[in-house]
Amino acid sequence: MACRPTGIFFLFIALSATAVAQKNYTLTSPAGAITLTVRVADSVYYSVAVKGAPAVTPSPIALITSQKALGINSHVTKQTTRQVQDTIVNAVPIKRRNIPDHYRELTLSFRENFSLVFRAYDDGVAYRFTTVFKDSLIVEKEIATFRFPGDATGYLPLVQKRDKVDIFHTSFEEPYTVQPLSQFKREQLAFNPVLVDEGTRKVVVTESDLLDYPGMFVRGTQRNSLHGEFAPYPAKEEIQDGEFRQWIVTARKNYIAKTQGMRSFPWRIIGLAEKDGDLLLNDMPYRLATPAKQTDWSWVTPGIGTDEWICGANLRGVDFKTGINTATYKHYIDFASRFGMQYVMLDAGWSDNNDLLKITPGLDLKDVAAYAKTKNIHIMLWTLAMTLDRQLDEAMAMFEALDVKLILTDFMDRDDQKTVAFYQRMAEAAARHKIMIMFHGAFKGAGFERTYPNAISREAVLGSEYNIWSEKATPEHDLLIPFIRMVGGPMDYEPGFYKNANRETFRPLRDMVMSQGTRCHQLAMFVAYDSPMQIFSGNPSDAWPEIAYTTYLASLPTTWDDTVVPDAKVGDYLVVARRKDNDWYLAAMTDWTPRTITIDLSFLNNGSYRAFTCEDGPNATKNSEDYRMGYALVDKHSKLTINMAPGGGYVVKLIKLNDARP
């Protein structure tokens, strides 16, 4: 008994010493509305307030390595701050060409050979670890915690575990489950970005500068918080056979990454928006990513291209048997050329999936490539990721000889460290040959498109193809992804269906694929969704007779000098206006609720504009393919009244006239 008081006494001294050692550091955003507070004690905790109200409550962060636990009982040796007011000129402008890069930064240097860098922007905060170890570093675990005040609502793309593989195998294509965070179970996993609705504001959790490190999932806690989760490094892999073979992990290491000891780790991002529409403008992942090493990206030429896979090349009214053959692709080239599209995709099947050099019988690839060149159309080729990796040098030489401008690689379905390295290796190889690249079966971009501007877009979204076999691609879903998934970077949804159905008439039918919502709902995606390479997945046989509409669609830009959001509500509707040179393009979309929205055009410059409208027709509620086109003269003092049917849409091209009306 005599020793117990002594033990308690020493424990009290230790706790008191820890309390004395605690120190708070604060960082405010340039406009002053956001305050980030860092507390260094037994762990490092960060918290975020907006206009004095808590948005993220104290949340611990740490990096557990084989050498040291960085952030736990660590000691600050120095703090530095700086303020940056810069402009990033986007080589491939997605939301805007000139991106304001305004932030305040706090760097805490620790005795244990690491630093924590915090940034406060006017639309969110971010932090990252940096280390300065001479030798390589094994990261056993990262503690990334996001605690929220009150009972917030989460919009969670929950991973559905596949048979015979672990939960970290996913195509990153799931609908959003909307529920209180307290119902997000510990055994459940969601990939990011995720959205948290706190009532007075929206919070997006995501990451940036994801290089040589696993991507971050979030796990439920059955409380009002999210915990970061990372796929452990693969210890053993096997080939999963089937039509599209891929590597699957059958055993994993007891760590998540083995990497350089002197490096910066990915940014953890907490995006903040008091207005829903501000989520559509948030490009924090791009701003935080590593800039590209080379400067000449003039050969990266975005545009609109066709793809035959979703509609199964199910053409009609032609004098040849359709399929993966020369005649079919020449027909697609003629179609693209006639309406002013720039690209034609040859999707899965143009070669043996397991041998890119073995061209499918009946297809003369050289002839198709030469024919495309006579029509000023560029060729894009689909590849299986495992095959491309194995045949990389030979394949790239073949692509360059054929003047292929873009390749798509598919079926990675993972984001562990080894898979993340694959993306970087493929982007670098493509860049050496001046070829653009897209990724399907992929995780979100996380700013990769800044580091590699030739990585023009990627999937990581439940998109048009799901209409083949499910009812998941609803108008409600279409009005969630731009507020959540699109914060992570460009997304390849592949719109453009001409067969359109309402809630009662929709059926998933292979080769006779239709979409949910109206024709103009599909059209609006070409403007509202970020993707410098827009893929038209409609059937040319449906599009040929619709000359005016198809010409209108094909004329839409895919890169933008500026973007404004006049009105938007998560999951319900959006109105987005984009500028290209002197012209503006405005798109609106709604869920299954019909809407009338009046928009003032005060974002326009002085002078007159010729407005070319394409909107839901008077019978679009019953017949979703009904639309009408119109014309008017407008200026910055005008107002537009937008009428949208259930699952509807609206697009207007505002072409600047050469007058000087004030």
Side-chain angles (χ1 to χ4, degrees), residues 93-96 280-283 486 530 560 562-563 578:
I94 302 165
K95 301 178 192 293
R96 45 190 173 174
L280 303 175
L281 300 173
N282 192 302
D283 48 18
M486 210 163 74
D530 293 343
W560 309 100
D562 200 7
T563 298
R578 314 256 202 184

Side-chain angles (χ1 to χ4, degrees), residues 435-513:
I435 294 174
M436 296 178 287
I437 188 167
M438 296 175 67
F439 298 98
H440 277 206
F443 57 89
K444 81 288 169 202
F448 195 77
E449 63 277 6
R450 183 182 183 191
T451 310
Y452 298 99
N454 64 314
I456 196 77
S457 190
R458 66 175 69 191
E459 197 173 30
V461 67
L462 192 160
S464 284
E465 65 180 354
Y466 277 77
N467 290 299
I468 299 174
W469 59 78
S470 81
E471 298 181 357
K472 293 182 178 180
T474 65
E476 284 88 353
H477 172 76
D478 298 341
L479 268 302
L480 286 173
I481 53 178
F483 297 91
I484 309 172
R485 160 61 184 87
M486 210 163 74
V487 177
M491 60 183 192
D492 184 33
Y493 185 97
E494 303 195 357
F497 289 168
Y498 282 61
K499 295 185 184 301
N500 316 107
N502 59 34
R503 203 193 310 237
E504 291 73 30
T505 58
F506 175 80
R507 299 290 184 275
L509 297 171
R510 183 173 292 276
D511 297 337
M512 298 291 289
V513 188

Side-chain angles (χ1 to χ4, degrees), residues 83-89 98-103 287 450:
Q83 182 166 348
V84 172
Q85 211 163 7
D86 202 354
T87 299
I88 301 168
V89 180
N98 298 312
I99 302 174
D101 194 29
H102 302 168
Y103 60 87
R287 282 175 266 155
R450 183 182 183 191

Side-chain angles (χ1 to χ4, degrees), residues 299-352:
W299 49 271
V300 176
T301 50
I304 297 178
T306 67
D307 186 17
E308 85 287 355
W309 186 80
I310 291 179
C311 73
N314 189 17
L315 306 176
R316 61 182 182 274
V318 296
D319 58 0
F320 56 87
K321 187 173 182 179
T322 62
I324 300 172
N325 55 46
T326 302
T328 297
Y329 288 118
K330 284 187 174 182
H331 184 82
Y332 268 86
I333 290 165
D334 289 340
F335 169 76
S337 176
R338 163 64 181 84
F339 290 103
M341 298 178 184
Q342 296 81 34
Y343 292 87
V344 168
M345 173 79 77
L346 280 63
D347 212 308
W350 64 268
S351 73
D352 185 320

Side-chain angles (χ1 to χ4, degrees), residues 578-605:
R578 314 256 202 184
R579 181 175 63 82
K580 180 69 171 181
D581 299 325
N582 292 321
D583 303 327
W584 285 84
Y585 299 76
L586 184 144
M589 298 168 62
T590 185
D591 59 5
W592 283 126
T593 302
R595 299 183 194 276
T596 298
I597 302 174
T598 299
I599 302 297
D600 73 69
L601 301 180
S602 57
F603 56 84
L604 295 176
N605 293 328

Side-chain angles (χ1 to χ4, degrees), residues 350-360 384 387 390-391 394 398:
W350 64 268
S351 73
D352 185 320
N353 291 341
N354 304 311
D355 186 351
L356 292 169
L357 308 181
K358 187 178 179 181
I359 310 304
T360 296
L384 187 65
T387 306
R390 189 183 72 249
Q391 297 183 307
E394 294 171 294
M398 180 180 75

